[in-house]
């Protein structure tokens, strides 16, 4: 899905031209919920883990937005599911969730369409004391059913695991986290480009940056500075008799 953001070129502290729109390829978060909280879009199989809703700060520094899961004895799975309304046949889909634990442990991420178990794909994610994003991409087959499910499974009982920002995207990699379902945001290397004409620079030394003002989902940011030197063009003079 296309999406655009606005950036501004600067030469030192001086704005160059007008803000420019950058077109990008994007994916949308398809989950109508982003956290693991009792009654908010997740179920369990086997013995359910205990849940401490919004007990921990998220990796973005937000206060009390992460959830603490403690898996208990028995096969415990936390399952995210989206109703069967869309078919993702032959499409790549990516599930992601941020994880952190004081005790190193392993979660198994699984993604499948519904109800085809044959389309299931799983991968381990090592959870450490540092917030990290666990991701899993799966290409659904031609006979994929509608909807999907993504799950977290652990055999480490009694180990509190903090989770934050789960999302599911129709994309080959996880994009920036957004909390609103359907909000399209650029993903990885598929972001667009924008340029400023060299002819607009006056003769001399320039320090060029590009600044993004931020929005409801992303904080403002400034690119690395690039030094440029514009020189007068040397004319070509030809004498003829």
């Amino acid at each position: 899905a296309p999406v655009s953001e606005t950036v501004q070129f600067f030469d030192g502290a001086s704005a160059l031209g007008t803000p420019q729109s950058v077109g990008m390829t994007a994916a949308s978060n398809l989950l109508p919920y982003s956290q693991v909280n009792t009654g908010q879009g997740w179920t369990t199989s086997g013995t359910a883990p205990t849940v401490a809703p919004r007990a921990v700060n998220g990796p973005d520094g937000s206060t009390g937005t992460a959830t603490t899961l403690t898996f208990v004895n028995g096969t415990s799975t936390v399952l995210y599911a989206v109703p069967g309304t869309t078919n993702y046949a032959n499409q790549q889909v990516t599930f992601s969730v941020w994880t952190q634990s004081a005790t190193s442990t392993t979660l198994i991420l699984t993604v499948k369409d519904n109800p085809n178990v044959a389309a299931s794909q799983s991968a381990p994610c090592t959870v450490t004391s540092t917030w990290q994003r666990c991701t899993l991409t799966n290409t659904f087959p031609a006979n994929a059913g509608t909807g999907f499910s993504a799950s977290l499974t652990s055999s480490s009982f009694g180990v509190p695991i903090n989770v934050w920002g789960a999302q599911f995207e129709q994309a080959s990699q996880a994009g920036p986290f957004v909390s609103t379902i359907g909000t399209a945001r650029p993903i990885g290397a598929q972001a667009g480009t924008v340029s400023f004409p060299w002819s607009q620079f006056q003769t001399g030394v320039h320090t060029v940056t590009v600044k993004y003002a931020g929005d409801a989902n992303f904080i403002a940011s400034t690119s690395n500075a690039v030094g440029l030197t514009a020189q007068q063009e040397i004319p070509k003079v030809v004498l003829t008799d």
Side-chain angles (χ1 to χ4, degrees):
V3 66
S4 63
E5 298 285 357
T6 300
V7 297
Q8 174 69 59
F9 281 85
F10 281 84
D11 180 3
S14 302
L16 296 172
T18 58
Q20 299 192 44
S21 178
V22 186
M24 292 163 281
T25 299
S28 297
N29 182 14
L30 303 177
L31 289 174
Y33 35 80
S34 59
Q35 310 302 331
V36 181
N37 288 298
T38 303
Q40 293 189 356
W42 65 278
T43 58
T44 60
S45 63
T47 304
T50 61
V51 182
R54 306 198 209 289
V56 182
N57 293 347
D60 62 345
S62 54
T63 304
T65 56
T67 297
T68 303
L69 300 176
T70 303
F71 291 86
V72 294
N73 194 17
T75 303
S76 300
T77 300
V78 178
L79 181 70
Y80 299 82
V82 165
T85 56
T86 303
N87 184 282
Y88 298 99
N90 299 314
Q91 299 295 315
Q92 284 189 310
V93 294
T94 298
F95 172 70
S96 62
V97 62
W98 289 83
T99 64
Q100 184 266 342
S101 176
T103 302
S104 180
T105 187
T106 300
L107 283 176
I108 302 297
L109 276 62
T110 300
V111 173
K112 66 178 183 179
D113 70 318
N114 288 328
N116 294 339
V117 177
S120 176
Q121 182 169 327
S122 300
C125 174
T126 301
V127 183
T128 68
S129 59
T130 301
W131 277 110
Q132 64 175 329
R133 198 177 198 182
C134 298
T135 67
L136 176 62
T137 298
N138 188 4
T139 301
F140 284 170
N143 66 340
T146 56
F148 72 91
S149 66
S151 62
L152 309 175
T153 303
S154 175
S155 59
S156 297
F157 307 129
V159 176
I161 301 172
N162 303 318
V163 295
W164 182 91
Q167 66 187 54
F168 183 93
E169 301 162 272
Q170 190 176 351
S172 60
Q173 58 184 304
F177 173 72
V178 293
S179 59
T180 305
I181 184 173
T183 301
R185 283 293 175 262
I187 51 177
Q190 296 181 356
T193 60
V194 65
S195 61
F196 187 81
W198 173 258
S199 60
Q200 298 299 309
F201 287 98
Q202 299 296 318
T203 301
V205 178
H206 305 271
T207 302
V208 181
T209 56
V210 180
K211 296 184 179 182
Y212 169 62
D215 62 15
N217 293 290
F218 297 103
I219 62 174
S221 62
T222 301
S223 73
N224 58 303
V226 176
L228 300 174
T229 301
Q231 298 178 330
Q232 289 181 310
E233 186 175 358
I234 301 175
K236 181 180 181 181
V237 179
V238 178
L239 295 177
T240 60
D241 56 10

